[in-house]
Amino acid sequence: MGMLYSIGEVLIDFIPQQKGKALKDVVTFERMPGGAPANVSAAVARYGQAASMITKVGEDAFADFLIEQLEEAGVRTDMIVRTKQANTGLAFVSLREDGERDFSFYRKPSADLLLEETELDASSFGRGDILHFCSVDLVESPMKQTHRKAINSMKEQGGIISFDPNVRLPLWDSAEACRSAILEFLPSAHIVKISDEELEFITGIHDEQEAIQSLFQGSVQAVVFTKGANGADLYVGKEKYGSNGFTVKVEDTTGAGDAFIGGFLYKLLELGATSENLIQFLHDEHADILRFANASGALTTTKRGAISALPSRDEVEKGLRDGSLVPCESRNKS
């Protein structure tokens, strides 16, 4: 079996105790482990496949907490470097009544952006592995160059590259800088996960189908188009495979997309996918992969936080098996 390697930010999410308040009006917060790549690594580990986090954190108590939380989730932390040059990143979140979020980030820079190419040992990358990354750490920094090294090293070994842009505009000098970095790295990926809220911003194309097809460039073999509670569509070349989301009582949407792609990549690792057989596995196993991924994302929204809200594999499979997770379309018809 292969391993998932996530590269990028690991940080503290401060989640408000009160819903429905603007960030400036929130009085108390609860500390939660987070960072999209870290959430994905934790999801894969929770579901039973090997996962490792590649990042840099500060010599501070927040970093101690994050490493402990990742290890408790089953994530390998031996590729996490520590530094006294910067602090671990923080994100303050406000929650609307529907569970959606606003963010305020503290990193000028945070430690993760300082990870140097020379500090990445890619010798353990192998043919059955997956490298997952997002756009938050693609700002001009040593970490951006380290991403390039990690991607090239994994591709040389025949592993799969997964990219979730996970757009966070407050972290960029401009929207154009964010879009440019995403478009620079997108052709390096085999799998691109993109949300309905991000598609037009990234591609500049209003027509949905045309925009999705424009993402098939370079190494891209599959596009996963997520639509929140409405499920997700998987595009493998010209083939489209749809799927339903699940109706749940939403507490907090933080980490739901990460749980979805974590479930998706977990299934690929379970199947033994590589860059050579990826397309065939997606054609053959799309229904099971998407069903598990949608359930993973849905269950994560029923709790607060990201890593701390992740369900176990047994919880996902039980919900799918006993009917407690009802597809949105089915419930709407009843």
Side-chain angles (χ1 to χ4, degrees):
M1 290 291 183
M3 176 177 288
L4 175 86
Y5 292 89
S6 273
I7 182 170
E9 76 277 10
V10 55
L11 50 79
I12 301 289
D13 283 328
F14 283 98
I15 307 294
Q17 295 284 341
Q18 307 90 9
K19 268 189 178 182
K21 288 183 178 291
L23 193 57
K24 68 182 179 63
D25 297 320
V26 176
V27 177
T28 55
F29 295 85
E30 183 177 2
R31 176 192 64 177
M32 297 284 189
N39 297 339
V40 174
S41 68
V44 168
R46 287 272 285 165
Y47 299 146
Q49 291 293 329
S52 178
M53 187 67 208
I54 303 170
T55 192
K56 181 178 275 192
V57 294
E59 290 281 0
D60 51 52
F62 289 134
D64 296 339
F65 170 72
L66 289 168
I67 290 172
E68 286 177 3
Q69 292 296 302
L70 286 170
E71 290 176 345
E72 284 183 17
V75 178
R76 280 180 46 179
T77 60
D78 56 302
M79 298 183 78
I80 296 179
V81 180
R82 303 193 71 162
T83 181
K84 293 182 179 179
Q85 292 182 302
N87 293 325
T88 303
L90 308 177
F92 288 83
V93 186
S94 64
L95 297 177
R96 301 199 300 262
E97 289 294 346
D98 62 1
E100 288 298 330
R101 309 144 292 156
D102 291 317
F103 292 91
S104 181
F105 294 90
Y106 287 75
R107 56 168 214 169
K108 295 264 181 205
S110 52
D112 50 292
L113 295 175
L114 303 183
L115 185 67
E116 301 278 352
E117 291 180 72
T118 55
E119 295 174 306
L120 171 66
D121 179 6
S123 62
S124 60
F125 291 176
R127 185 169 178 271
D129 295 336
I130 298 174
L131 178 73
H132 179 75
F133 71 104
C134 302
S135 72
V136 164
D137 271 13
L138 298 183
V139 297
E140 292 303 325
S141 65
M143 180 56 117
K144 182 177 182 179
Q145 306 309 317
T146 305
H147 272 68
R148 288 197 178 100
K149 176 181 176 180
I151 291 166
N152 292 335
S153 298
M154 183 62 78
K155 293 182 86 169
E156 286 173 3
Q157 297 302 318
I160 293 171
I161 310 298
S162 165
F163 181 32
D164 175 3
N166 193 41
V167 175
R168 295 288 180 264
L169 289 179
L171 293 171
W172 294 83
D173 292 335
S174 68
E176 185 51 44
C178 176
R179 183 187 296 108
S180 177
I182 290 169
L183 293 175
E184 177 187 350
F185 277 80
L186 186 146
S188 300
H190 299 110
I191 300 169
V192 176
K193 181 256 183 195
I194 192 166
S195 74
D196 51 359
E197 297 174 340
E198 298 168 332
L199 182 63
E200 185 172 356
F201 166 74
I202 291 171
T203 64
I205 300 171
H206 180 69
D207 181 79
E208 183 176 284
Q209 294 305 309
E210 183 182 348
I212 289 169
Q213 289 303 317
S214 76
L215 299 173
F216 282 93
Q217 50 185 282
S219 299
V220 177
Q221 298 181 13
V223 173
V224 188
F225 182 54
T226 59
K227 302 178 289 185
N230 294 318
D233 296 328
L234 170 63
Y235 292 81
V236 186
K238 297 293 184 181
E239 291 292 329
K240 174 185 175 182
Y241 302 107
S243 66
N244 293 319
F246 295 95
T247 300
V248 294
K249 183 178 179 181
V250 175
E251 176 67 23
D252 176 11
T253 60
T254 303
D258 304 327
F260 174 95
I261 194 64
F264 191 98
L265 298 178
Y266 156 76
K267 281 293 184 179
L268 291 179
L269 287 167
E270 186 179 53
L271 290 165
T274 67
S275 58
E276 289 84 9
N277 61 27
L278 174 61
I279 290 175
Q280 191 59 52
F281 274 131
L282 291 176
H283 282 309
D284 294 344
E285 306 292 339
H286 62 271
D288 183 53
I289 294 171
L290 288 170
R291 192 164 175 259
F292 188 93
N294 278 309
S296 175
L299 286 172
T300 299
T301 70
T302 63
K303 300 176 185 177
R304 292 161 64 85
I307 291 176
S308 55
L310 289 167
S312 67
R313 178 179 57 190
D314 288 345
E315 288 173 320
V316 175
E317 292 177 345
K318 180 177 182 297
L320 292 170
R321 185 174 59 250
D322 65 17
S324 58
L325 278 172
V326 180
C328 293
E329 185 177 70
S330 298
R331 180 166 291 187
N332 289 338
K333 289 181 178 178
S334 62

